[in-house]
Amino acid sequence: MSLVTRFAPSPTGYLHVGGARTALYSWLYAKKRGGKFILRIEDTDIERSNQASVDAILEGMHWLGLEHDEGPYYQTQRFDLYKEVVAQLLAEGKAYKCFCTAEEVDAMREAQMAAGEKPKYNGMWRDRTDHPADKPFVIRFKNPQQGVVVIDDMIKGRIEIANSELDDLIIARSDGTPTYNLTVVVDDWKMGITHVIRGDDHVNNTPRQMNILAALGADIPKYAHVPMILGDDGKRLSKRHGAVGVMQYRDNGFLPEALINYLVRLGWSHGDQEIFSKAELIELFDLADCNRAPSAFNTEKLLWLNQHYIKTLPPARVAAELQWHLTAQQLDTSKGPAIEAVIAVQGERVKTLTELVEVSRYFYEDFSEFEENAAKKHLRPVAAEPLALVKQKLAELTDWQVEPIHHAINAAAEQLGLGMGKVGMPMRVAVTGGGNSPALDQTLWLVGRERTLARIDMALDFISKRAEAS
Ligand code: GLU
């Protein structure tokens, strides 16, 4: 029997971090075992579902590289099937019509609570046949009244629930539309899902769903409930904690490789290894190694992983992802060094791609002012002579490469009997506009000959104007 997993988000918002992690676990579990991963959009809550959320989920899944093998299925396109199954359960006496009004159900609850009991539907229409002709009704599942349901949860272990704890669940509303628990069951059954991997906020639904599946004579899948993710304050991760939508991480300059690596470790471990490629994850991931306890989100660690991947992925791969940021931050790179070369040099120095764009502007754009503090400190009259000499030596170079540039700067410093700091810092400010950049020779090489020489002139001009003014 082949293995089938699914990710079944409700499109009521973006793909959040918790959902993405569940999707990742389902995806990995299927990939490792040559199984199939299905994407199913649970859009039956018409009020809260919307197309923008569907698009955001599809975009997020694609960005993370969690491609589905089948789907996406949309539950709103499967109503006929759900209705058939409800009719079947009704015909077989496994479900029944309940004519209780909302007031009656409320009164039932209040009486139970007043008596100190757990409120639940009391089954008053379970066995009745005196059905009124034209009163509205809902359809309830006839939950077994005896025995226990046992979930052999692949993460949480064995969970037992007494059927006496479960009431007769509504499976179709008075307008005939199916409810959440019914649609999930029908789809898990019809789609041949063998492993349901989902958030543990659904663990209370599982015994009910298992009972319905049993009533349908369907195979019961294995269940794995993934513990929730907490914010750094120990509360359930939510919007209050900042970026929780997956695409927000893209916008903030994270690589999908980093987010995947981060998410998988948020609740799963393999010894003390921290860095995993996707291929390794497919090889190593197992539900048996998932934590039972919730995990706390740690932005520092995500940043650390992101930096690792910016530094170590092939620059062409980072470049592909960087392109989005270049467009978003309106940086035209057509007149300047290849972005792969910039990544190779700057990758060491940044934690995000947004930062990478910010600190790389001077490779592509000229500036009209130097950073005030850097200029005050380094573009002083004493810097004029070394700047002019370096410029002269650079202008003579026939080969604009890192090595010769390096030698030209050294030769100028030596000739003037100056330490590298006295030459290097003014050069850095002159050519980049500020006091921070990669190694000077590499920086100049990337900035290019023409721009370098013109910027030294601009700095010399700045110094002489400053001298005149004082
Ligand atoms: N649609 C449900 C949700 O987004 C998930 C249902 C399931 O995984 O069974 O919470």
Side-chain angles (χ1 to χ4, degrees):
M1 190 185 66
S2 71
L3 188 146
V4 186
T5 66
R6 77 333 187 252
F7 177 50
S10 304
T12 56
Y14 40 50
L15 176 62
H16 56 83
V17 167
R21 184 187 54 162
T22 306
L24 172 62
Y25 285 6
S26 303
W27 185 87
L28 286 172
Y29 200 72
K31 292 295 137 182
K32 174 173 185 164
R33 292 161 180 82
K36 194 161 69 177
F37 173 66
I38 293 180
L39 179 60
R40 178 168 88 215
I41 306 291
E42 304 205 320
D43 56 350
T44 54
D45 184 344
I46 316 267
E47 301 268 286
R48 295 177 63 227
S49 302
N50 57 63
Q51 188 58 40
S53 300
V54 173
D55 294 343
I57 290 165
L58 296 178
E59 189 186 21
M61 293 289 285
H62 178 67
W63 182 68
L64 288 171
L66 303 180
E67 306 296 354
H68 45 271
D69 302 304
E70 216 182 281
Y73 292 107
Y74 293 86
Q75 288 193 321
T76 44
Q77 292 170 9
R78 299 167 63 82
F79 272 87
D80 290 347
L81 174 63
Y82 307 137
K83 282 186 179 156
E84 256 171 52
V85 173
V86 171
Q88 179 195 332
L89 286 168
L90 207 51
E92 291 172 356
K94 293 170 180 166
Y96 61 93
K97 294 178 182 173
C98 163
F99 294 85
C100 278
T101 61
E103 292 76 41
E104 281 173 308
V105 175
D106 284 346
M108 196 184 293
R109 289 235 162 84
E110 270 161 38
Q112 286 161 336
M113 270 154 65
E117 291 164 19
K118 209 168 122 187
K120 68 181 218 190
Y121 176 73
N122 67 6
M124 65 182 283
W125 285 93
R126 188 173 166 111
D127 299 309
R128 275 166 73 166
T129 47
D130 55 335
H131 292 175
D134 37 51
K135 274 181 96 186
F137 59 86
V138 298
I139 297 173
R140 289 185 183 268
F141 173 65
K142 232 184 224 181
N143 198 76
Q145 290 174 315
Q146 262 93 52
V148 289
V149 186
V150 176
I151 314 172
D152 251 322
D153 193 283
M154 296 177 78
I155 295 174
K156 291 184 175 284
R158 187 181 164 96
I159 303 171
E160 281 186 26
I161 304 95
N163 274 319
S164 57
E165 294 280 311
L166 308 171
D167 53 6
D168 291 346
L169 196 73
I170 298 178
I171 55 174
R173 302 182 188 88
S174 55
D175 64 0
T177 56
T179 58
Y180 162 71
N181 277 296
L182 189 274
T183 58
V184 168
V185 159
V186 173
D187 285 346
D188 285 344
W189 172 34
K190 296 289 178 182
M191 293 173 189
I193 305 299
T194 59
H195 293 75
V196 171
I197 301 166
R198 62 182 170 196
D200 70 358
D201 46 333
H202 285 287
V203 77
N204 288 331
N205 289 321
T206 304
R208 303 168 189 281
Q209 294 179 5
M210 288 169 77
N211 280 337
I212 304 177
L213 285 163
L216 290 166
D219 287 332
I220 313 259
K222 288 203 177 340
Y223 291 91
H225 291 96
V226 186
M228 63 178 144
I229 302 175
L230 306 176
D232 41 20
D233 55 359
K235 304 224 169 77
R236 192 193 171 101
L237 190 70
S238 74
K239 275 189 211 161
R240 283 181 298 110
H241 296 98
V244 288
V246 160
M247 296 317 285
Q248 188 66 44
Y249 286 94
R250 189 269 316 264
D251 297 359
N252 293 354
F254 289 90
L255 287 162
E257 284 84 351
L259 198 55
I260 288 279
N261 195 150
Y262 181 72
L263 289 176
V264 80
R265 283 284 292 104
L266 204 54
W268 170 84
S269 56
H270 180 74
D272 48 18
Q273 187 172 342
E274 288 292 354
I275 309 280
F276 298 89
S277 68
K278 239 187 196 166
E280 259 180 309
L281 286 178
I282 292 173
E283 172 83 28
L284 298 173
F285 180 80
D286 203 339
L287 291 168
D289 301 321
C290 287
N291 296 343
R292 289 184 181 193
S295 326
F297 202 85
N298 177 344
T299 307
E300 281 307 311
K301 189 166 165 197
L302 175 57
L303 281 166
W304 174 76
L305 281 167
N306 204 46
Q307 181 167 45
H308 166 81
Y309 282 104
I310 293 176
K311 279 196 303 204
T312 57
L313 283 174
R317 164 70 196 114
V318 181
E321 205 63 32
L322 189 67
Q323 197 52 56
W324 185 89
H325 295 272
L326 294 169
T327 310
Q329 295 194 48
Q330 300 184 335
L331 182 61
D332 174 7
T333 56
S334 61
K335 292 180 200 70
I339 57 176
E340 288 81 354
V342 171
I343 292 165
V345 169
Q346 294 278 41
E348 291 281 340
R349 310 171 50 84
V350 296
K351 288 189 171 154
T352 68
L353 297 181
T354 34
E355 211 184 322
L356 181 53
V357 175
E358 271 160 37
V359 299
S360 302
R361 279 198 180 270
Y362 58 77
F363 291 124
Y364 302 100
E365 282 176 352
D366 289 325
F367 46 86
S368 54
E369 275 173 24
F370 300 100
E371 264 172 39
E372 203 180 315
N373 284 337
K376 206 180 259 174
K377 200 160 162 208
H378 301 293
L379 297 185
R380 291 185 294 152
V382 289
E385 195 185 14
L387 281 176
L389 187 59
V390 174
K391 185 193 162 190
Q392 185 197 322
K393 294 199 180 293
L394 289 174
E396 287 164 4
L397 292 181
T398 47
D399 191 14
W400 193 259
Q401 295 296 337
V402 177
E403 279 279 284
I405 293 171
H406 184 83
H407 289 307
I409 302 169
N410 273 358
E414 252 166 57
Q415 194 175 320
L416 296 172
L418 292 173
M420 260 317 281
K422 296 244 159 39
V423 181
M425 282 313 292
M427 272 301 292
R428 174 165 284 124
V429 179
V431 175
T432 69
N436 274 314
S437 85
L440 195 56
D441 47 11
Q442 290 184 323
T443 305
L444 265 50
W445 168 60
L446 289 171
V447 166
R449 178 203 300 268
E450 242 173 83
R451 276 194 167 122
T452 297
L453 301 182
R455 288 176 188 179
I456 296 174
D457 279 343
M458 188 175 132
L460 288 169
D461 200 42
F462 176 90
I463 293 171
S464 70
K465 286 212 178 97
R466 185 175 174 180
E468 275 166 34
S470 66

